């Protein structure tokens, strides 16, 4: 299950940017262009979700089954960045907005991973932030069990 849908990501992309994302060829037919962009968007979403899971795996069980709204938002932002970065992000142009949103998403995810921000998932992992956990067996010997020996 993805943290956002292809339709949500597609809604964030202006029609005039589709050909640039698809590649070198110009596709005039709108239906053909939409058919070509969907698998590219789905791959960008998959990459975004993997990145999110990578940041949050030590703190939360991933992938999430109930998706927090903030994770949906950042999944879309990262996926759109992934799409535009295929052709290169021009930091002096309008694409800089996509880079800024991506950087904000990464900062947020880093802060969640550090425990500075809580995203409201109840079944949080109980390991230390270093990933260290310790378990042991039940106690076998005690003063009472060893009496008289």
């Amino acid at each position: 299950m993805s943290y956002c849908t292809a339709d949500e990501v597609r809604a964030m992309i202006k029609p005039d940017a589709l050909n640039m994302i698809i590649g070198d060829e110009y596709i005039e037919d709108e239906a053909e262009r939409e058919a070509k962009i969907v698998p590219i968007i789905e791959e960008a979403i998959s990459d975004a979700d993997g990145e999110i899971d990578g940041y949050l795996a030590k703190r939360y069980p991933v992938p999430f089954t109930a998706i927090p709204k903030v994770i949906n938002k950042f999944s879309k932002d990262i996926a759109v960045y992934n799409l535009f970065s295929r052709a290169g992000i021009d930091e002096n142009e309008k694409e800089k907005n996509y880079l800024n949103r991506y950087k904000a998403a990464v900062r947020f995810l880093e802060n969640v991973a550090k425990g500075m921000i809580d995203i409201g998932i109840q079944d949080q992992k109980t390991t230390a932030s270093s990933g260290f956990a310790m378990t042991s067996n039940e106690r076998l010997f005690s003063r009472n069990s060893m009496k008289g020996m």
Side-chain angles (χ1 to χ4, degrees):
M1 178 158 113
S2 296
Y3 296 146
C4 66
T5 67
D7 289 339
E8 289 174 317
V9 173
R10 174 60 188 90
M12 296 175 70
I13 303 168
K14 294 181 180 175
D16 61 337
L18 292 179
N19 282 316
M20 179 193 75
I21 292 169
I22 291 171
D24 295 334
E25 60 183 300
Y26 178 78
I27 303 169
E28 192 168 328
D29 180 34
E30 189 175 324
E32 183 182 345
R33 189 173 41 218
E34 290 297 327
K36 280 205 171 198
I37 195 70
V38 169
I40 296 170
I41 290 174
E42 288 172 349
E43 182 180 345
I45 291 170
S46 178
D47 291 346
D49 293 350
E51 187 170 350
I52 290 168
D53 287 349
Y55 278 105
L56 304 183
K58 282 190 176 181
R59 187 159 292 286
Y60 297 100
V62 292
F64 298 119
T65 51
I67 302 165
K69 184 70 178 155
V70 69
I71 297 300
N72 171 263
K73 179 214 181 302
F74 287 129
S75 179
K76 292 184 290 190
D77 288 346
I78 294 170
V80 169
Y81 169 79
N82 289 344
L83 291 169
F84 279 94
S85 66
R86 291 167 48 94
I89 299 281
D90 186 353
E91 291 191 35
N92 296 323
E93 296 293 323
K94 60 185 175 186
E95 289 111 24
K96 184 167 184 173
N97 182 45
Y98 303 120
L99 176 62
N100 290 338
R101 291 176 76 154
Y102 172 75
K103 286 180 178 179
V106 169
R107 267 193 315 276
F108 176 84
L109 294 169
E110 287 172 342
N111 287 332
V112 172
K114 291 176 188 173
M116 297 171 65
I117 299 173
D118 186 344
I119 57 174
I121 301 292
Q122 297 305 319
D123 53 351
Q124 188 172 349
K125 288 186 177 180
T126 56
T127 59
S129 62
S130 67
F132 177 80
M134 188 168 82
T135 60
S136 65
N137 294 331
E138 200 174 310
R139 186 173 178 180
L140 297 176
F141 302 103
S142 69
R143 283 189 180 165
N144 289 335
S145 70
M146 297 296 292
K147 260 187 187 172
M149 294 197 147

